[in-house]
Amino acid sequence: METVAVLGERPLIQGFALAGGLLLVADTPDQAREQWERLPAGVRVVVLTPAAAAALSMAREAPDAPMTVVMP
């Protein structure tokens, strides 16, 4: 089953749980990188907070990376 994950700071991502998003809390850049490395199989889209996107700039561009969307 394909899944949408939401990665970033807890206050910014909590609401996505109501829509069925898989919440991956990352309050620091290191936590963002750790969560990215442990993405479950089946995650096809990852919604990122701006801070998480900055921490993952290079990883997001890997050929096998899931599609990412950055919150405004």
Side-chain angles (χ1 to χ4, degrees):
M1 182 170 139
E2 296 183 357
T3 303
V4 175
V6 187
L7 195 158
E9 305 91 308
R10 184 180 305 276
L12 298 178
I13 68 171
Q14 284 179 314
F16 286 89
L18 296 171
L22 171 65
L23 300 186
L24 303 172
V25 176
D27 293 317
T28 67
D30 285 337
Q31 289 174 343
R33 288 185 284 274
E34 288 171 15
Q35 291 284 25
W36 182 266
E37 291 297 319
R38 291 187 275 174
L39 282 174
V43 171
R44 298 293 178 249
V45 177
V46 182
V47 178
L48 300 167
T49 62
L56 299 170
S57 60
M58 297 302 290
R60 293 172 46 208
E61 297 179 20
D64 59 343
M67 183 174 81
T68 58
V69 179
V70 182
M71 294 180 195

